[in-house]
Amino acid sequence: MALLYQAYQNHMDLTEPWRQGAAAALRYLNLIPSGLSSRAMRRLSAALELISRSALTYARPAYGIDSVMVGNREVAVTEEVTFKTPFGSLLHFKKDAAPEQPRVLLVAPMSGHFATLLRGTVKTLLQDHDVYITDWHNPRDIPRDHGRFGLEDYTDHLISFLGQLGPRPHMIAICQPSVSALAATAVMCEDNHPSRPATLTLMAGPIDTRIQPTKVNEFAKSKPIGWFEDNLIHYVPFQCRGAFRKVYPGFVQLTAFVSMNLERHVKQHVDLANHLAKGEVEKAEIIKTFYDEYFAVMDLPAEFYIETVRDVFQEHLLPQGKLMHRGRPVDPKAVRRIGLMTVEGERDDICAIGQTLAAQDICTNVRAYRRIHHMQAGVGHYGVFSGKKWNNEIYPLLRDFVHVNS
């Protein structure tokens, strides 16, 4: 198993000339005016398009947020790295000539995809907030001499990032990092840190996965932790900057995701070929845009992945009051003098109803008038932080909650 990632990378390198050749031929065919192209040529173009796209990318896609509406006017947005470590950057979406707004740290999952998966979430938040995001780096590009990155390191990064934002910013954690976000908040409140969050919003996060366990939760508990180490952890190939670092590879994660809905993904690519063959450019572009993001994958540091499976999904340390951070207990009762919001989706098959709400039960010293819980009807996991219901129903509640507690 240790050589699987190397074998995969070798295969990708050997087949790269075929993809480049297909892309070059496609560019030539695209020079022919659409009125002169035959049906056979369009089919050939569709085939070349699929061949040229038959690989994953390990580079972060662009956020592509150049402007946003603030009130009734459009303002320019520029990206600015305000703090950086080998494992992640604190990225600021700086708005030109914008009024002062609440500072928000959006905590992205360290999962098989980049933080750009939250592009739509960022764009919505930018209307009324000064937004920063945890822009995690791909471990396969991080040399081994930068050391390990585990669950405690993730929590340390959140504390450091919040410290860069100044007094009493706001923190919104999406999915997996909800545990670290709550742990960082508890530690900072206990230390009376000047940058402890004014509000903490946890969205579809696995605070207590003993509650209505999903298939994802059951799989995490179905094997001993040694099985995950032996079967899912691999060495970064020697061609990469992070050569021989232990990781949970992005291509393995994506294979698992795709296999869960294989028929859907096959149909999407058949539809893509048909749209291209028929000259339906707009319909094809929608599918291409989705898979440009979906097939941009990042690895996970082995330590972070194994500790998350063990501490969050197998041993449930946080809700039992047993989670430690740098040798000290993480006490949710230390969370006080802040606002606490939890959000769940009715149809979430990754983080079930009640798992995020559990934060309200363990943070017993948050005043009742500073708590809010929202269960959004009709949405799955991703609908909690993206799409129409996020924009029209969830976001207005979050915006008002943040502004009231600013």
Side-chain angles (χ1 to χ4, degrees), residues 332-351:
K333 294 178 183 178
V335 178
R336 62 181 78 227
R337 296 192 296 278
I338 74 166
L340 178 62
M341 180 175 185
T342 48
V343 184
E344 297 178 329
E346 179 189 20
R347 299 177 181 173
D348 194 335
D349 58 355
I350 295 176
C351 186

Side-chain angles (χ1 to χ4, degrees), residues 50-344:
L50 294 182
I51 293 171
S52 68
R53 299 172 62 85
S54 62
L56 307 180
T57 175
Y58 286 91
R60 174 175 73 73
Y63 283 94
I65 303 174
D66 300 318
S67 63
V68 67
M69 293 299 296
V70 177
N72 59 358
R73 66 189 182 92
E74 187 175 22
V75 300
V77 177
T78 55
E79 296 176 19
E80 177 182 71
V81 175
T82 59
F83 184 72
K84 187 176 182 180
T85 76
F87 292 92
S89 297
L90 177 62
L91 185 64
H92 181 206
F93 296 91
K94 186 177 180 181
K95 292 179 288 191
D96 292 346
E100 185 176 351
Q101 295 175 318
R103 286 161 287 114
V104 169
L105 174 63
L106 181 61
V107 185
M110 182 176 276
S111 62
H113 293 94
F114 292 90
T116 50
L117 198 66
L118 300 183
R119 182 185 295 105
T121 315
V122 171
K123 193 158 189 176
T124 300
L125 287 168
L126 277 170
Q127 299 171 80
D128 307 287
H129 306 87
D130 188 11
V131 181
Y132 297 73
I133 194 170
T134 58
D135 197 36
W136 301 113
H137 302 164
N138 197 335
R140 81 184 232 136
D141 299 324
I142 305 171
R144 285 183 64 198
D145 57 14
H146 286 299
R148 73 190 305 278
F149 187 93
L151 196 57
E152 290 183 322
D153 300 289
Y154 192 108
T155 302
D156 284 337
H157 272 64
L158 298 189
I159 294 172
S160 297
F161 286 168
L162 287 167
Q164 298 294 318
L165 269 62
R168 307 310 302 274
H170 304 264
M171 181 157 58
I172 301 170
I174 306 292
C175 188
Q176 166 218 78
S178 292
V179 171
S180 284
L182 183 52
T185 301
V187 169
M188 295 177 81
C189 285
E190 197 167 53
D191 293 344
N192 200 29
H193 195 295
S195 294
R196 63 192 184 278
T199 65
L200 173 63
T201 301
L202 306 176
M203 306 185 72
I207 299 299
D208 191 346
T209 60
R210 296 173 298 179
I211 301 169
Q212 298 193 69
T214 64
K215 290 183 179 179
V216 175
N217 306 148
E218 290 171 351
F219 174 72
K221 296 201 71 171
S222 66
K223 313 284 186 184
I225 198 65
W227 182 92
F228 291 91
E229 295 174 332
D230 294 339
N231 291 275
L232 299 181
I233 302 303
H234 305 274
Y235 291 102
V236 172
F238 72 84
Q239 297 99 317
C240 307
R241 291 184 62 216
F244 308 115
R245 176 181 289 279
K246 284 187 174 183
V247 296
Y248 176 29
F251 83 91
V252 175
Q253 300 172 67
L254 186 67
T255 300
F257 291 147
V258 169
S259 65
M260 292 172 66
N261 294 284
L262 183 58
E263 290 183 7
R264 175 179 176 271
H265 291 294
V266 171
K267 182 179 182 300
Q268 285 282 78
H269 282 82
V270 171
D271 289 345
L272 173 59
N274 289 333
H275 292 323
L276 291 169
K278 294 175 183 178
E280 298 171 342
V281 178
E282 291 184 4
K283 291 181 179 179
E285 202 60 37
I286 292 172
I287 298 175
K288 287 164 62 176
T289 299
F290 172 80
Y291 282 101
D292 284 344
E293 187 75 47
Y294 196 67
F295 287 163
V297 298
M298 67 176 286
D299 302 336
L300 267 68
E303 306 87 5
F304 175 78
Y305 175 71
I306 293 299
E307 290 169 13
T308 298
V309 171
R310 184 192 65 204
D311 297 352
V312 177
F313 293 99
Q314 291 190 347
E315 299 183 5
H316 316 288
L317 297 185
L318 179 63
Q320 296 186 81
K322 297 178 181 179
L323 185 66
M324 304 291 289
H325 181 72
R326 303 301 179 196
R328 61 189 285 191
V330 173
D331 184 9
K333 294 178 183 178
V335 178
R336 62 181 78 227
R337 296 192 296 278
I338 74 166
L340 178 62
M341 180 175 185
T342 48
V343 184
E344 297 178 329

Side-chain angles (χ1 to χ4, degrees), residues 118-128 203 376 379 382-399:
L118 300 183
R119 182 185 295 105
T121 315
V122 171
K123 193 158 189 176
T124 300
L125 287 168
L126 277 170
Q127 299 171 80
D128 307 287
M203 306 185 72
Q376 180 61 51
V379 301
Y382 294 99
V384 171
F385 53 87
S386 64
K388 291 183 179 179
K389 292 195 175 180
W390 147 251
N391 285 322
N392 299 330
E393 299 183 41
I394 300 173
Y395 173 67
L397 293 173
L398 188 154
R399 177 197 60 208

